[in-house]
Amino acid sequence: MKLNKLKIGKTETPGNLLLAPMADVTNLAFRLLCRQNGADLTYTEMISADALLNENRKSLLKGLSSPEDRPFGVQLVGSSPEKLREAALFIEDEYRPELIDVNMGCPAKRITGTGCGSALLNSKKLIYEIISDLTDVLKTPVTAKIRILKRDEKTLEIARLIEEAGASALTIHGRRAEQMYSGSSDLTVIRAVKQELSIPVIANGDIRNEESAEAALDFTECDGLMIGRAAMGNPFIFKRIRHYLETGERLEFDRQVRQLEDFENYIALLEEYDLHASTNIRMHAHWFTKGLRGSRQIREKINNLKDGKAIVELIKDFHTENY
Ligand SMILES: Cc1cc2nc3c(=O)[nH]c(=O)nc-3n(C[C@H](O)[C@H](O)[C@H](O)COP(=O)(O)O)c2cc1C
């Protein structure tokens, strides 16, 4: 049995599989779906501290949660310690998440251009100030998510600094920011970070299936695994990996049925929480139909539809026609 409990701050989960924060993906409905499929802990997509403080409606929606959506973390992105502190206090009060995470890994130009995300990795002083400020004022445990740096020693230095500043856990994606998504996630550096720190370390990057999950846990000896892209349109990945880590056996399933049923469940959850208007249904429909029989034709049809409801109807018909 390789599925272990995970404890971050006071939050203890029966397993150690986490859903990664993903912009335009990990809204409340998607997080609930991943949870129903076995994710132990989920994160919201990054929320800009600036936008939140300006009471941007879309940003406020990103932190929306429900009693079933627990434990969950809210991820903040920003570069000003004062604004991050103010935004985090608002989040603590408004959403009461179990964790508040700081994005120190996003390599997108629109984020790094304002000194946020992975740009923070260039300033040890700022990293220390942000994390220690947050841990001083919040009751909620603070976590950070980073990418690796060019030299391993530098990655270890930043990881140690984050721990010293009071973070309760660290997630590390084993790619450098300039790699974006090229190459592969470097488990050797992640393993070195795990050996160096005493707070929980979560391994992230390229966990796609049962084998890669087992290999990452075995090799890095990390406290948990964070799964991102493999869950897009495929929340069932959590059930598969969970089952494999618990039993050593692969779960038999029909991918076609699974993904289409999950898409319908996703739509129902979007409706329940009134998240239709703020969700790009076409994008999700593409992910949920990826790799399925007849998906090329259905995806072409999806491209020609504007209305989210019409896309849902199309996929429902596709599902019925196929079974
Ligand atoms: C569509 C998309 C959106 C993402 N948004 C965020 C984000 O808001 N915050 C963050 O820390 N990382 C974000 N990431 C990075 C993921 O959390 C994760 O670190 C990365 O995808 C590597 O993990 P994976 O190989 O399991 O996908 C995003 C990734 C994708 C594909």
Side-chain angles (χ1 to χ4, degrees):
M1 158 95 166
K2 294 192 168 156
L3 190 82
N4 289 318
K5 284 185 186 163
L6 175 65
K7 190 161 188 252
I8 303 179
K10 288 199 188 94
T11 299
E12 198 166 332
T13 53
N16 49 359
L17 300 179
L18 289 76
L19 172 67
M22 287 189 284
D24 297 322
V25 183
T26 57
N27 58 37
L28 171 60
F30 191 73
R31 296 201 304 276
L32 287 171
L33 199 58
C34 288
R35 212 177 278 283
Q36 288 164 10
N37 275 285
D40 293 285
L41 178 64
T42 66
Y43 278 99
T44 66
E45 62 183 287
M46 60 180 152
I47 306 180
S48 152
D50 281 350
L52 198 69
L53 296 175
N54 288 332
E55 295 184 19
N56 173 291
R57 204 185 104 75
K58 208 168 167 216
S59 298
L60 290 169
L61 268 181
K62 289 177 186 171
L64 187 74
S65 182
S66 77
E68 299 78 31
D69 178 40
R70 296 208 168 250
F72 84 113
V74 171
Q75 189 189 62
L76 277 175
V77 62
S79 60
S80 147
E82 296 75 29
K83 286 187 178 169
L84 280 166
R85 188 193 320 139
E86 208 183 319
L89 282 168
F90 171 82
I91 280 169
E92 181 172 75
D93 202 40
E94 192 73 14
Y95 304 119
R96 305 193 179 278
E98 276 71 19
L99 305 169
I100 294 183
D101 189 74
V102 184
N103 182 328
M104 298 188 171
C106 182
K109 279 236 162 62
R110 71 184 172 89
I111 300 294
T112 56
T114 53
C116 306
S118 61
L120 287 174
L121 298 174
N122 299 321
S123 171
K124 286 192 283 181
K125 184 172 170 289
L126 204 49
I127 291 178
Y128 190 84
E129 204 178 328
I130 288 172
I131 300 291
S132 56
D133 249 32
L134 290 178
T135 52
D136 276 355
V137 298
L138 296 173
K139 293 183 219 78
T140 314
V142 175
T143 62
K145 181 164 176 281
I146 64 170
R147 282 195 173 219
I148 61 171
L149 289 124
K150 203 163 191 171
R151 289 193 302 113
D152 295 354
E153 192 38 54
K154 195 96 183 129
T155 310
L156 292 174
E157 205 181 317
I158 298 280
R160 278 194 298 265
L161 193 74
I162 290 173
E163 176 170 86
E164 278 163 28
S168 296
L170 176 71
T171 301
I172 174 158
H173 176 190
R175 283 188 178 83
R176 284 176 280 110
E178 61 271 23
Q179 284 181 278
M180 304 298 273
Y181 284 94
S182 67
S184 49
S185 182
D186 186 342
L187 294 182
T188 311
V189 187
I190 299 181
R191 177 186 154 101
V193 170
K194 167 60 196 163
Q195 284 169 354
E196 190 77 8
L197 302 193
S198 41
I199 54 172
V201 176
I202 313 298
N204 172 236
D206 301 344
I207 310 294
R208 292 195 185 93
N209 50 29
E210 292 87 338
E211 286 76 18
S212 50
E214 183 180 44
L217 275 180
D218 281 351
F219 182 75
T220 65
E221 297 183 335
C222 272
D223 303 274
L225 292 179
M226 180 179 273
I227 300 170
R229 289 166 296 170
M232 287 159 61
N234 183 26
F236 192 67
I237 188 78
F238 285 102
K239 211 166 248 179
R240 280 172 49 195
I241 292 179
R242 198 178 184 91
H243 183 80
Y244 188 70
L245 295 177
E246 276 173 338
T247 65
E249 288 179 7
R250 285 169 156 278
L251 203 55
E252 294 291 323
F253 69 103
D254 183 325
R255 186 169 171 190
Q256 194 97 359
V257 175
R258 195 61 277 134
Q259 283 185 212
L260 293 175
E261 277 184 9
D262 277 340
F263 183 68
E264 289 188 22
N265 290 338
Y266 179 56
I267 296 301
L269 286 164
L270 286 177
E271 267 165 23
E272 186 176 341
Y273 293 98
D274 202 15
L275 291 168
H276 255 124
S278 58
T279 304
N280 185 337
I281 303 217
R282 177 180 296 128
M283 217 161 64
H284 283 264
H286 272 281
W287 295 327
F288 275 95
T289 51
K290 196 172 163 193
L292 302 187
R293 288 187 299 279
S295 67
R296 202 159 65 85
Q297 293 91 314
I298 188 98
R299 291 166 127 218
E300 275 167 16
K301 286 186 188 164
I302 290 171
N303 283 340
N304 293 324
L305 294 175
K306 283 208 175 64
D307 174 36
K309 284 219 164 72
I311 295 176
V312 174
E313 285 312 313
L314 180 75
I315 294 190
K316 275 187 184 160
D317 289 347
F318 174 67
H319 192 178
T320 322
E321 275 163 27
N322 279 272
Y323 295 92

